[in-house]
Amino acid sequence: MRFQRLPSLAVSLTAFCLPLLGMQAARAGDVITSVPTLHVVVPGLESQAQLADRLRAQGYQDVIMSSVYPSPADPYPWQNPTLTSHPEQTPVHDGWNGVAFKNGQVFQVYADH
């Protein structure tokens, strides 16, 4: 008897939850937008200047690397000259490293080791 009741319970829960999931998806679709990202693999120790040179060789322009991640307090660190002034001394870190432009779009640059 327990196993016969389980499918009906699952069907009931599914019927109850589907409209809620649909409403959440519609709300999320209104808020979330697609941001162009560029994921690069850094095989070893590399400076942000070296990474920027590699990206320029692939056709990206105006590559700006930052020594810190974006945060609520500073959502655009690539616009702060003190955070972008020494890419030759700043090692590439895992995650977000800066921005690069290509074909009129801004790409967020993410690195993985």
Side-chain angles (χ1 to χ4, degrees):
M1 287 291 249
R2 266 173 66 176
F3 294 111
Q4 292 174 348
R5 292 180 65 197
L6 186 58
S8 64
L9 178 62
V11 170
S12 297
L13 285 174
T14 303
F16 175 74
C17 291
L18 280 177
L20 297 176
L21 292 173
M23 290 187 322
Q24 291 294 348
R27 285 188 205 139
D30 292 341
V31 175
I32 297 173
T33 61
S34 177
V35 176
T37 59
L38 172 63
H39 290 271
V40 294
V41 176
V42 179
L45 187 59
E46 184 174 73
S47 72
Q48 288 183 334
Q50 291 169 315
L51 175 58
D53 288 342
R54 281 201 298 148
L55 295 176
R56 285 186 198 98
Q58 295 174 13
Y60 291 90
Q61 303 158 343
D62 299 323
V63 180
I64 305 168
M65 299 282 124
S66 175
S67 60
V68 300
Y69 297 103
S71 69
D74 188 7
Y76 308 106
W78 63 89
Q79 295 177 349
N80 183 340
T82 61
L83 300 175
T84 61
S85 59
H86 297 289
E88 69 285 348
Q89 297 173 0
T90 306
V92 173
H93 48 264
D94 284 338
W96 185 88
N97 277 268
V99 295
F101 296 81
K102 188 173 188 179
N103 298 329
Q105 285 191 317
V106 179
F107 287 82
Q108 303 293 318
V109 179
Y110 288 87
D112 295 308
H113 282 94

